[in-house]
Amino acid sequence: MSEHLYNSSDLNSVLRTLSTLTNPAVTSGDVLPKKAETHDPQRSRPGVTQLVQSGPISPAKKPAPKSATLDPSTIITWPAALRYVMTTVGQDEETQLRIRGLITSQHKHEKQWWKAREALLERQRARGDKKKELNAVLILATRRSIGAPVDSTMAPPLLTSEKDENADELELAEYDRKVYKASVTMANALISELRGMKIPFFVTQKSLIRQEDAPASSNEQTGDLLTNSDLSDLQRRMLGLLEDICKE
C-alpha cells in the first residue's frame, strides 16, 4: 500500500505519508501509560508527529561558483571570460537552448539570402541568353530582307545592350543593399539577446573601452582598457565559443 502513496527516494513524501498514518484521536493532552514512560527507551526521541510538524528538511545549498559571481561587464580578458562562460552558459541548458536558437536562425537566413542571390543571377543570365537569341534572329531576318548573303554555318554577331547590362548590375546592387540592411538588423538583434544573457564582451562597461585615436589621460591606465578593435575581435571569438558550446 505504501508503494502507491509515496516515492521512497523523496523524504518529504515519506514524512507526509507517515503523518497520515498517525492516530488522529491522540492529541497533545493525552497521557501515555506510566509503563510506556518508564520502560520505553525510544520515548526520549522525537516522535513521527513531531518530525512532520517541524517541516520538510531543505537540502543544503551549494555555494555559487566563484566565477559566476564576477560581474561580466568588467571582464576584459579572454581567460576570465572563458571561465565565466563555462561556469554559466556551459552549465545552463536553458541558456544553451536560447543561443542555439539564435545561431540556427542566423544560419537559416544567411542560406536563404545566398540562394535568393544565386536565383537572381540565374534569371539575369537567362534574360541575357534570350535577348542574344532574339538579336540573332533579327539580324538574320534583316539580311534576308535586303538580299544580303546569309551563311547558315556562321553565327551572326550578337548585339549587346549597355543599358541592359547596367540594369542587371543595378538590380543586383539593390538586392545586396537590402541583404546588408537585413543582416545589420539581425546582428543588432543577436547582440541585444547576448546582452540580456550577460555574455562577456557584449555587456562591457563603456568606461573600459578606449578609442584607438583618443589620447590617454594622466589618470588612465591604457593597459587595463580595451580598444574598439580589440572588443570586436573578442566578440567574434566569443561567438565561436558559444557556437561550440551550444552545438546540437
Side-chain angles (χ1 to χ4, degrees):
M1 177 178 176
S2 60
E3 294 179 356
H4 299 285
L5 295 176
Y6 66 89
N7 182 350
S8 59
S9 62
D10 186 349
L11 177 58
N12 292 333
S13 178
V14 173
L15 297 179
R16 286 194 299 270
T17 302
L18 290 177
S19 67
T20 63
L21 299 179
T22 58
N23 186 359
V26 179
T27 63
S28 59
D30 293 334
V31 179
L32 294 177
K34 293 184 178 180
K35 182 178 180 180
E37 292 181 357
T38 56
H39 297 284
D40 187 357
Q42 303 295 329
R43 183 58 178 170
S44 59
R45 299 182 183 180
V48 172
T49 305
Q50 292 175 318
L51 185 58
V52 173
Q53 291 175 348
S54 64
I57 300 176
S58 301
K61 294 183 179 181
K62 296 181 179 180
K66 183 177 181 181
S67 57
T69 62
L70 183 64
D71 184 356
S73 67
T74 63
I75 296 176
I76 58 174
T77 62
W78 180 253
L82 180 61
R83 288 192 299 270
Y84 179 87
V85 170
M86 294 307 294
T87 55
T88 53
V89 177
Q91 299 179 13
D92 189 340
E93 289 292 338
E94 182 178 353
T95 302
Q96 291 181 31
L97 184 62
R98 289 176 60 188
I99 295 175
R100 192 178 299 124
L102 295 174
I103 294 173
T104 300
S105 177
Q106 178 182 352
H107 290 173
K108 178 182 177 181
H109 283 87
E110 289 172 349
K111 289 180 181 179
Q112 289 176 343
W113 293 334
W114 176 255
K115 288 181 179 179
R117 192 179 194 275
E118 289 296 304
L120 175 59
L121 290 173
E122 185 62 30
R123 289 196 300 272
Q124 289 182 349
R125 285 191 290 267
R127 287 199 300 262
D129 292 340
K130 289 181 179 179
K131 288 177 181 178
K132 289 178 181 179
E133 292 175 1
L134 180 59
N135 285 337
V137 171
L138 291 175
I139 291 172
L140 290 174
T142 301
R143 287 182 176 180
R144 289 192 180 98
S145 66
I146 62 177
V150 177
D151 185 356
S152 59
T153 62
M154 181 175 62
L158 301 178
L159 301 179
T160 58
S161 171
E162 183 177 353
K163 180 179 179 181
D164 291 339
E165 292 179 357
N166 289 338
D168 288 346
E169 292 178 359
L170 290 175
E171 183 181 27
L172 184 61
E174 176 65 13
Y175 176 81
D176 289 342
R177 184 189 67 80
K178 291 180 179 179
V179 169
Y180 174 77
K181 183 178 180 180
S183 64
V184 170
T185 301
M186 183 177 65
N188 289 337
L190 175 63
I191 291 174
S192 178
E193 289 287 338
L194 295 176
R195 283 200 190 104
M197 289 182 273
K198 306 298 183 183
I199 302 299
F201 307 129
F202 292 93
V203 290
T204 305
Q205 296 178 10
K206 292 183 179 180
S207 60
L208 299 176
I209 304 173
R210 178 178 62 87
Q211 300 293 332
E212 282 87 347
D213 55 351
S217 64
S218 57
N219 297 327
E220 187 176 71
Q221 298 294 329
T222 58
D224 295 334
L225 300 179
L226 290 174
T227 63
N228 286 324
S229 59
D230 291 337
L231 184 61
S232 297
D233 291 340
L234 289 169
Q235 286 177 345
R236 285 191 291 268
R237 192 174 178 183
M238 178 58 67
L239 288 175
L241 174 64
L242 294 175
E243 191 167 2
D244 289 340
I245 294 175
C246 302
K247 280 183 179 179
E248 294 188 77

